[in-house]
């Protein structure tokens, strides 16, 4: 099939970007979307031009590296599918596509379709863990976990940190991402001890990174490639409200260093 | 230069070696730990676990990865599960049985003491991961669930749906982020290690390129740990992530770290077949599918009927026929070669005849679609997305693909390479899997090395040295930095006619045809000059657009391929000299009458350890003899 691509080209973080048009005369329907871009890039290199930069690694929909907008949708038109898993049979001959990076203040563009998502790491660092040092664990079966809780925790833990939820949100909120971790750990007995601290600290970091407020538009759930559910945001809000009343950051001077 | 291949295996009975070693290791005084710095390259299961644990212990850690976040290391892609000798199923499992299965599965080419330790530690790994909140699959009663994997007759594999690697890595990443927040680990994401710095015979640092700004920097430490994963991408097409590379271990090899068993490559039997020229990677379908899927091809050659049109008695369930006791769960090397054999006989299915069926219709009939969906739903979805076919109604088509490299940098019992102070963890080392790795054992090894072995052994090393003493201005540092810069300028300056990927595909084809699933002397002898010629052409005729001072993905690929072009040659040399068949290394000249691998324990019961001799001379092959005291050398049989 034949396709026309309009791709956002931006040399570096401080350069202005613009859309450039490319014709793709010969696209095989069995190719993945990224393989189609590989073909374009090989062509550009042969012509002495710079290839289009986009992030990718596993190409199996699990590492969360890939992701950009196709016709205004993060990861493109197929539900529950990252762009690396999207195949060209989802498009038809003669279609014109617009490829742009994820747009959010907290995700500055680095080059072409590549953005900086390091804010996500800092949100996890603020409290997205169970504080258990290596070597001090009890036997795995000493903590029985209801199958249903384990399954629900797994549903939330399936988040790949791609950032599509942010890109799909009119407010560029990272609530779905943050709540997925809060819910994953909050649904398990191991996560209880730090539940309040986690909610307070992660939400504070979320704000500090410059993501927008959640106004429950629900776009994130609809466009998350891993089906992470909106109910997690409700869990996060509940945990946060409760913790905001009950939780106090330790007074550092009290015990001395 | 004489290299020291003393494996430093502790004395005493095998069950007590690890405890004895831990007791004998020297300790660093807690107050002094922060004076010592450790560089960890790689944040997969091995590196992430090591960096987090070293941070918890109080060392000063710098961690590096080339992706934008430590959470994206290739370990994330592991699907099926992780082994542990918990015997929760009460089916006769034990540390000894896991040890035995791993040594036998590896076709008797691994060191017994290391494998025993791995089996012993496996138990603590599960506990640690559960404590971190890894959502392993559970039974209704709330206890942990297990499944079976190839090469084992007990059910000892723990899993989190088809995303076990993801969940284990996230556990490890979260532990790492906690240390980053605590200021004990400094994380350098989007940094590619380009060289190791060796000063006065000890590893003292690395050279990196910042993949955003292009800056080349030197980082100094008291010890360096490489946990940079496997080198399967030397074949271009593999199940590895696109960025997986050999640069870190290859550069270390050229600085004096010996490379062991480079030719031991694992070909995974169940991957989605190639669909066209543009193919950029191969997708694995987890081995766990073989629990319920039955593998078959038509009995007749060139049978082009649709799968549903082929009656039961005209199907050859060849694994069940050839290996009745393990059947569809035969080890990977055996299942892969069997698939190749039936396809070579002209009985393969799908485009080009390079595929076999993996059929779930019996299981769906027996257990219902819902159960199958619960077990493998996400894998079925992946399959459908890629092929456009629905595996609930037509059988999957699968074919073997390069998956894992058992070879890697040589390490002793302490995971230290032949360069003092340079430790190697996870898939990057050669230690535990011999000539073939059993399914669900790589995750186990990565976490064993990272959480439970390296933190002790690196501590022992640090306790024997004084911290500090060199800085970034040391002549060796400046030299290593200048060399890295010069290499990049050379690559950018060639401005030839072929892209990096074109060279990479060409290398992959040579490797797959001549050093892949089956190898022979004639092919290997042809491959050597072909790789050398390709390498020469690469340095004359590659084109790398853009500059070094910005994000430049072509340049990243070029520096990685330059190293693969050298490593490929070493793999071919190793495969040529090893005149036997064992595990994943199948030399056509050495097989039994039934076509099984024929080992030669007289001549080859050793690890082949290669030492670099400079670019002008061929490397030297040393041997580490292997002694089997607990698992008797026998021909592997899965019949
Ligand atoms: C598709 C797939 C499925 C698998 N399924 C299973 C399974 O079910 N069970 C199982 O046991 N095993 C499985 N494996 C194997 C297993 O996943 C790997 O062997 C294991 O995860 C490797 O872990 P690692 O920590 O050694 O390296 P990796 O996870 O590969 O991590 C390498 C790290 O090193 C970094 N790095 C590499 N080079 C450089 C450089 N030059 N500079 C800086 N950083 C660098 C990377 O950024 C990354 O952080 C699977 C493998 C694949 C490909
Ligand atoms: S919640 Fe969904 S969209 Fe958001 S980062 Fe996670 S996987 Fe991506
Ligand atoms: S490249 Fe890993 S999720 Fe798409």
């Amino acid at each position: 099939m034949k396709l026309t691509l309009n791709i956002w080209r931006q040399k570096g973080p401080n350069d202005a970007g613009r859309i450039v048009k490319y014709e793709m005369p010969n696209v095989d329907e069995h190719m993945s979307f990224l393989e189609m871009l590989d073909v374009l890039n090989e062509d550009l290199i042969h012509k002495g031009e710079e290839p289009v930069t986009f992030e990718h690694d596993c190409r199996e929909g699990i590492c969360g590296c890939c992701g950009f907008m196709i016709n205004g949708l993060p990861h493109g038109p197929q539900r529950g599918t990252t762009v690396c898993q999207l195949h060209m049979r989802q498009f038809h001959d003669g279609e014109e596509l617009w490829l742009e990076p994820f747009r959010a203040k907290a995700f500055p563009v680095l080059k072409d379709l590549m953005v900086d998502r390091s804010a996500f790491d800092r949100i996890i660092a603020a409290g997205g863990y169970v504080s258990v040092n290596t070597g001090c664990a009890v036997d795995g079966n000493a903590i029985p976990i209801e199958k249903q809780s384990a399954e629900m925790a797994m549903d939330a833990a399936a988040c790949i940190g791609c950032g599509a939820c942010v890109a799909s949100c009119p407010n560029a909120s990272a609530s779905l991402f943050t709540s997925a971790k809060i819910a994953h750990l909050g649904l398990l007995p191991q996560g209880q001890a730090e539940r309040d601290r986690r909610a307070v600290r992660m939400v504070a970091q979320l704000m500090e990174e410059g993501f927008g407020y959640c106004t429950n538009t629900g776009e994130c759930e609809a466009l998350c490639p891993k089906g992470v559910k909106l109910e997690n945001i409700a869990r996060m809000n509940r945990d946060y409200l409760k913790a905001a009343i009950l939780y106090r950051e330790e007074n550092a001077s009290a015990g001395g260093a | 230069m004489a290299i020291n291949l003393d494996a430093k295996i502790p004395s005493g009975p095998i069950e007590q070696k690890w405890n004895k070693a831990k007791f004998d290791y020297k300790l660093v005084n807690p107050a002094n730990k922060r004076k010592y710095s450790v560089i960890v390259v790689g944040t997969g299961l091995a590196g992430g676990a090591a960096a987090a644990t070293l941070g918890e212990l109080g060392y000063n850690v710098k961690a590096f990865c080339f992706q934008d976040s430590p959470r994206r290391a290739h370990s994330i892609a592991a699907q099926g599960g992780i082994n542990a000798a918990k015997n929760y199923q009460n089916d006769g499992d034990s540390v000894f049985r896991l040890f035995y299965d791993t040594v036998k599965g590896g076709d008797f080419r691994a060191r017994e003491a290391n494998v025993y330790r791995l089996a012993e530690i496996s138990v603590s790994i599960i506990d640690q991961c559960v404590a971190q909140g890894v959502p392993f699959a559970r039974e209704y009663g709330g206890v942990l669930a297990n499944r079976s994997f190839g090469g084992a007759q007990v059910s000892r594999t723990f899993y989190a749906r088809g995303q076990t690697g993801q969940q284990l890595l996230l556990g490890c990443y979260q532990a790492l982020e906690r240390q980053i927040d605590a200021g004990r680990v400094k994380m350098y994401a989007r940094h590619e290690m380009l060289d190791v710095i060796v000063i006065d015979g000890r590893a003292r640092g690395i050279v990196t390129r910042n993949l955003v700004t292009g800056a080349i920097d030197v980082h100094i430490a008291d010890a360096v740990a490489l946990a940079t994963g496997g080198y399967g991408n030397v074949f271009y097409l593999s199940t590895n992530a696109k960025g997986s590379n050999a640069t870190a271990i290859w550069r270390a090899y050229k600085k004096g770290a010996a490379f062991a068993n480079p030719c031991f490559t694992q070909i995974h039997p169940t991957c989605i077949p190639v669909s066209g020229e543009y193919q950029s990677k191969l997708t694995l379908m987890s081995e766990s599918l073989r629990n319920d899927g039955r593998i078959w091809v038509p009995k007749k050659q060139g049978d082009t009927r649709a799968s549903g049109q082929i009656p039961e008695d005209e199907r050859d369930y060849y694994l069940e026929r050839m290996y009745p006791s393990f059947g569809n769960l035969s080890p990977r090397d055996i299942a892969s070669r069997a698939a190749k054999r039936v396809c070579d006989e002209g009985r393969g299915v799908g485009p080009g005849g390079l595929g076999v069926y993996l059929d779930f219709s019996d299981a769906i009939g027996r257990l219902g679609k819902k159960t199958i969906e619960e077990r493998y739903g996400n894998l079925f979805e992946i399959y459908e997305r890629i092929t456009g076919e629905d595996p609930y109604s037509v059988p999957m088509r699968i074919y073997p693909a390069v998956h894992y490299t058992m070879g890697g940098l040589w390490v002793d019992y302490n995971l230290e390479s032949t360069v003092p102070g340079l430790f190697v963890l996870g898939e990057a080392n050669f230690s535990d899997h011999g000539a073939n790795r059993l399914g669900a054992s790589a995750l186990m090894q990565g976490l064993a090395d990272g959480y439970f072995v390296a933190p002790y052994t690196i501590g022992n090393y640090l306790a024997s040295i004084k911290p500090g003493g060199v800085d970034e201005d040391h002549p060796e540092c400046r030299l290593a930095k200048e060399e890295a810069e010069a290499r990049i300028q050379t690559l950018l300056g060639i401005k030839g006619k072929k892209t990096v990927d074109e060279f990479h595909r060409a290398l992959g084809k040579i490797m797959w045809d001549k050093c892949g699933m089956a190898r022979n002397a004639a092919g290997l002898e042809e491959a050597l000059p072909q790789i050398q010629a390709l390498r020469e052409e690469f340095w004359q005729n590659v084109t790398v657009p853009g500059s070094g001072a910005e994000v430049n993905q072509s340049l990243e690929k070029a520096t990685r391929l330059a190293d693969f072009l050298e490593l490929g040659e070493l793999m071919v040399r190793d495969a040529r000299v090893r005149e036997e068949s064992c595990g994943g290394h199948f030399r056509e000249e050495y097989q039994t009458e039934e076509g099984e691998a024929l080992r030669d324990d007289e001549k080859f019961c050793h690890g082949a350890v290669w030492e670099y001799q400079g670019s002008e001379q061929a490397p030297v092959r040393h041997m580490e003899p292997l002694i089997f005291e607990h698992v008797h050398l026998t021909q592997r049989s899965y019949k």
Side-chain angles (χ1 to χ4, degrees), chain A residues 169-175 207 211-216:
Chain A
C169 175
N171 311 318
S173 167
S175 290
M207 292 300 149
F211 291 104
Y213 287 92
C214 171
T215 53
N216 277 314

Side-chain angles (χ1 to χ4, degrees), chain A residues 60, chain B residues 41-47 64-67 70 73-82 149 164 191-194 227-230 239-241 243-245 247-248 281 284 286 332 403-404 425-428 437-444 446:
Chain A
E60 291 193 5
Chain B
V41 188
T43 59
L45 291 182
F64 296 81
C65 70
F66 67 76
Q67 292 92 344
H74 171 57
S75 294
I76 199 106
Q79 303 171 345
I82 176 166
F149 251 59
T164 316
H191 274 70
E192 178 129 334
M193 165 181 158
L194 297 178
T228 49
T239 62
N240 289 11
S244 298
N245 69 90
T247 290
K281 75 155 285 170
L284 177 81
S286 167
R332 292 179 174 174
H403 179 56
Y404 183 89
L425 283 50
E427 191 173 340
R437 174 175 71 79
L438 290 182
S441 287
L443 301 183
M444 169 172 75

Side-chain angles (χ1 to χ4, degrees), chain B residues 370-434:
Chain B
K370 188 155 176 296
T371 307
I372 296 300
E373 197 176 329
E374 253 174 44
R375 286 189 192 163
Y376 313 109
N378 75 316
L379 296 172
F380 277 42
E381 263 172 55
I382 293 181
Y383 184 84
E384 178 164 11
R385 236 174 263 137
I386 294 177
T387 62
E389 292 172 4
D390 170 21
Y392 292 104
S393 48
V394 293
M396 288 185 178
R397 284 176 298 108
I398 52 163
Y399 196 67
V402 172
H403 179 56
Y404 183 89
T405 46
M406 282 75 68
L409 291 184
W410 183 90
V411 288
D412 63 15
Y413 188 75
N414 300 332
L415 304 183
E416 193 172 7
S417 71
T418 53
V419 174
L422 183 70
F423 294 79
V424 191
L425 283 50
E427 191 173 340
N429 72 27
F430 90 119
S431 71
D432 297 342
H433 308 294

Side-chain angles (χ1 to χ4, degrees), chain A residues 34 54-67 75 81-85 160 162 225-226, chain B residues 72 76-77 241-242 281:
Chain A
L34 299 188
F54 59 88
E55 259 184 296
H56 65 102
D57 198 22
C58 72
R59 297 202 174 191
E60 291 193 5
I62 192 75
C63 73
C65 280
C66 68
H75 295 294
T81 306
T82 54
V83 67
C84 60
Q85 293 276 284
I160 58 173
C162 64
K226 296 293 143 182
Chain B
R72 308 205 199 279
I76 199 106
K242 290 293 284 177
K281 75 155 285 170

Side-chain angles (χ1 to χ4, degrees), chain A residues 24 34 44 125 223 240:
Chain A
M24 295 294 293
L34 299 188
L44 291 176
L223 295 167
Y240 180 74

Side-chain angles (χ1 to χ4, degrees), chain B residues 18 21-27 117 413-414 456-457 460:
Chain B
W18 178 231
K22 282 191 287 186
F23 183 74
D24 290 344
Y25 287 146
K26 290 191 271 308
L27 299 175
R117 174 177 65 190
Y413 188 75
N414 300 332
Y456 280 101
T457 62
N460 174 53

Side-chain angles (χ1 to χ4, degrees), chain B residues 255-306:
Chain B
K255 287 283 173 80
F259 205 121
N261 301 331
C263 82
F264 285 175
T265 315
Q266 176 163 84
I267 316 282
H268 196 292
T270 52
C271 302
I272 300 178
V274 173
S275 77
E277 275 301 307
Y278 46 79
Q279 190 92 26
S280 62
K281 75 155 285 170
L282 294 169
T283 300
L284 177 81
M285 288 284 100
S286 167
E287 169 164 325
S288 59
L289 291 169
R290 292 200 271 143
N291 271 299
D292 288 307
R294 298 179 68 196
I295 295 178
W296 64 276
V297 289
K299 284 188 177 157
K300 258 201 330 243
Q301 273 181 7
D303 189 339
T304 52
R305 288 176 291 176

Side-chain angles (χ1 to χ4, degrees), chain B residues 478-511:
Chain B
R478 276 192 303 204
L479 185 68
K481 182 174 170 199
E482 280 159 21
E483 277 173 8
E485 280 165 347
R487 216 161 101 96
I488 286 174
Q489 288 317 316
T490 307
L491 283 167
L492 291 167
I494 299 169
K495 300 200 187 309
K497 296 221 155 43
K498 281 197 195 170
T499 66
V500 180
D501 279 359
E502 284 169 308
F503 281 105
H504 202 162
R505 279 177 209 273
L507 174 65
K509 183 158 168 38
I510 301 173
M511 296 302 294

